[in-house]
């Protein structure tokens, strides 16, 4: 197991408790009504109760992580040699399983980390007395989308345009 695999596995495992802790801390610091949408001038125009937000966010986090880990375990059980007999990746099952494991770990860790920063940004907006959106967070959404696209397309590009390392 390489250093990068260990790092990404650790990142995935650490991101989940940090995400839960961030959500709990935000819950205690949120006002009773959390501003979840703002007008173009930065004034809040849509609210949700902090209890509803907490339960929706917590449920989404748990379900998302559970389903992705379930998908990861099911994908790793597949016999790729039967799916594509000509593929060098399918013939080298150890390298393919290691690549898939690392990719799922990165994907889950990136999503969890993005949600941590999202919660911190939402907490910052809702800490002010008037809950006014004083900073434009469009860059944050765009950066998250770009990072997510890079992670998503890394796996098919790697499988299509590279060959697994051979053991000598």
């Amino acid at each position: 197991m390489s250093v990068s695999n260990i790092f990404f596995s650790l990142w995935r495992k650490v991101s989940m408790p940090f995400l839960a802790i961030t959500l709990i801390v935000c819950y205690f610091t949120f006002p009773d009504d959390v501003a979840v949408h703002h007008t173009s001038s930065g004034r809040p125009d849509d609210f949700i109760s902090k209890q509803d937000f907490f339960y929706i966010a917590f449920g989404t986090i748990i379900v998302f992580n559970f389903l992705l880990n379930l998908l990861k375990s099911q994908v790793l059980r597949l016999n790729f040699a039967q799916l594509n007999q000509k593929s060098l990746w399918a013939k080298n099952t150890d390298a393919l399983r290691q690549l898939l494991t690392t990719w799922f770990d990165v994907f889950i860790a990136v999503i969890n980390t993005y949600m941590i920063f999202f919660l911190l940004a939402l907490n910052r907006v809702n800490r002010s007395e008037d809950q006014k959106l004083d900073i434009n967070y469009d860059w944050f959404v765009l950066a998250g989308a770009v990072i997510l696209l890079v992670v998503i397309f890394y796996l098919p590009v790697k499988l299509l345009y590279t060959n697994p390392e051979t053991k000598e």
Side-chain angles (χ1 to χ4, degrees):
M1 198 169 191
S2 70
V3 174
S4 64
N5 295 1
I6 294 169
F7 171 76
F8 291 127
S9 176
L10 181 66
W11 181 16
R12 177 186 57 86
K13 291 173 184 172
V14 168
S15 69
M16 183 61 186
F18 271 111
L19 181 56
I21 290 167
T22 304
L23 181 60
I24 291 168
V25 168
C26 287
Y27 174 78
F28 287 114
T29 59
F30 278 154
D32 289 336
D33 290 320
V34 178
V36 292
H37 189 266
H38 294 79
T39 63
S40 59
S41 64
R43 297 274 175 221
D45 65 347
D46 195 15
F47 297 89
I48 186 171
S49 74
K50 77 177 185 178
Q51 290 85 6
D52 289 346
F53 179 82
F54 176 79
Y55 290 124
I56 290 169
F58 193 74
T60 302
I61 291 166
I62 295 299
V63 167
F64 178 78
N65 277 273
F66 174 75
L67 289 178
L68 277 177
N69 282 310
L70 183 66
L71 179 64
K72 174 183 168 183
S73 67
Q74 295 305 311
V75 166
L76 291 175
R77 292 172 122 187
L78 291 174
N79 185 351
F80 292 100
Q82 287 182 342
L83 292 174
N84 186 356
Q85 297 169 351
K86 295 179 182 178
S87 170
L88 293 176
W89 280 102
K91 292 176 184 172
N92 190 343
T93 58
D94 291 336
L96 180 59
R97 289 188 196 291
Q98 189 173 9
L99 174 66
L100 289 171
T101 300
T102 303
W103 184 84
F104 272 104
D105 288 345
V106 170
F107 185 68
I108 294 167
V110 164
I111 295 290
N112 286 343
T113 304
Y114 184 78
M115 286 192 281
I116 289 169
F117 285 112
F118 170 79
L119 287 170
L120 292 173
L122 190 63
N123 188 31
R124 184 178 186 279
V125 169
N126 280 284
R127 262 191 286 166
S128 68
E129 196 62 38
D130 58 356
Q131 296 173 315
K132 186 173 181 191
L133 186 61
D134 55 352
I135 296 176
N136 187 346
Y137 286 100
D138 290 345
W139 66 269
F140 179 71
V141 174
L142 186 61
V146 168
I147 292 169
L148 191 59
L149 284 173
V150 167
V151 170
I152 289 172
F153 285 108
Y154 174 80
L155 182 64
V157 168
K158 176 98 172 165
L159 290 173
L160 291 172
Y161 297 108
T162 65
N163 291 326
E165 294 179 13
T166 57
K167 295 178 185 175
E168 297 182 35

